Amino acid sequence: EDEAFLAAFQARIDAEEKIEPNDPMPEGYRRTLIRQIGQHAHSEIVGMLPEGNWITRAPSLRRKAALLAKVQDEGGHGLYLYSAAETLGVSREQMTEELLAGKAKYSSIFNYPTLTWADIGAIGWLVDGAAIMNQIPLCRCSYGPYARAMIRVCKEESFHQRQGYEIMMTLAQGTPGQKEMAQDALNRWWWPSLMMFGPHDSDSQHGDQSMRWKIKRFTNDELRQKFVDATVPQGEYLGLTFPDPELKWNDERGAYDFGAIDWDEFWRVVKGGGPMNRERLAARRKAWDDGAWVREAALAHAEKRRARREA
Ligand code: FAQ
């Protein structure tokens, strides 16, 4: 890749042109997108598991219908994203194999357990809330197929966020026991939600280059701050307390100050040592193995049709 090619590519990016699948692109740009979109797709699919755990135990038919629809949406997001990654020359099988081999990452947040119904509220409110904060700017990502996929995904995530917040509101206005459940869920999901935005900018390996290529439009710390600023008033409205004694409005900065994130915990979870990492991967492996006969049957069927056509 010569300098002139890289400069011409950067000029297209700087002019806010969308890059499309058949356009020439630097190998690093392609690899970064395959990594990020693949990780994003895996997160959607693995992200079905914590909430899927509560579908059979939802407290009413209405809650069950909404949760079922939400979890199904996440599956759909995963499929759009695998398709977007496939436009870059990688196959869904390859990406799945990398996930199952523990080589491809997925979001740290899905390695925490869902212990009570309030966790379903907290996930919608906080996890989908964080996902939206991160994904709205991705609608303007320089890579066309990813940007376009994000538009629909964000619309659905915004419904998810509201259904979660509404569960939290119901619990927070309920019996003392229900309010306590909501508080406990906030206590357990707050810090992991802040970790979703990734390491501090100073430790973000890919951040600078992805900003230059306009794959990312904001840095990890910028998005984390926006999320805190948007979410704290929502929690106060619920009458709940954030598990951070250092959380405080800073008039000068026009933003909330907050305490230090436990990065040891973050990296432990990212590297496979979180409370649910083993279970999550085992569930995906089982689904892949149980589905082997479908893939084999589809291939055999295609083969038979081809043979018949050629006969
Ligand atoms: N977990 O250099 P950076 C959802 C890795 S929302 C695990 O800063 P980058 C919706 C990172 O990959 C969740 N790993 O990386 C839903 C890299 O490792 P690598 C999914 C993490 O890419 C809601 C290393 O650390 N959303 O699914 C995490 O510039 C409810 C260094 O980091 C997306 O994926 C983490 N939290 O910035 C579904 C959004 N953070 O690859 C169900 C798209 C960082 O070199 C229910 N992705 N790492 O081995 C992004 O915006 C970016 O990839 C970031 C990371 C911001 C996540």
Side-chain angles (χ1 to χ4, degrees), residues 32 35-51 70-71 73-75 77 81 103-111 123-124 126-132 134-135 138 146 150 153 157 160 192-201 203-208 210-211 215-216 218-220 223-224 263 266-267 269-271:
T32 297
R35 181 185 61 77
Q36 177 167 327
I37 303 173
Q39 167 186 298
H40 195 166
H42 296 325
S43 301
E44 300 282 357
I45 300 295
V46 177
M48 297 169 78
L49 297 169
E51 289 169 286
K70 177 194 192 288
V71 172
D73 286 350
E74 310 296 359
H77 299 171
L81 286 163
K103 282 189 223 149
K105 293 190 167 75
Y106 59 90
S107 183
S108 50
I109 192 76
F110 302 117
N111 293 306
I123 289 179
L126 301 172
V127 176
D128 285 275
I132 296 171
N134 165 273
Q135 287 169 2
L138 290 175
Y146 191 26
M150 279 302 115
V153 167
E157 300 289 26
H160 299 167
S193 297
L194 296 188
M195 295 175 193
M196 286 175 71
F197 295 94
H200 275 318
D201 295 349
D203 297 317
S204 167
Q205 213 180 312
H206 308 288
D208 291 345
S210 289
M211 292 284 284
I215 293 171
K216 287 164 95 165
F218 294 96
T219 69
N220 298 357
L223 289 174
R224 188 166 16 242
W263 295 111
F266 172 74
W267 290 114
V269 175
V270 168
K271 289 180 180 153

Side-chain angles (χ1 to χ4, degrees), residues 157-189:
E157 300 289 26
S158 125
F159 150 69
H160 299 167
Q161 199 268 354
R162 279 153 193 249
Q163 74 78 50
Y165 191 70
E166 206 250 339
I167 292 173
M168 291 303 274
M169 190 122 74
T170 305
L171 293 174
Q173 292 169 353
T175 63
Q178 286 173 317
K179 184 161 184 190
E180 202 178 299
M181 241 167 71
Q183 180 63 55
D184 171 60
L186 172 58
N187 292 350
R188 284 181 293 106
W189 289 93

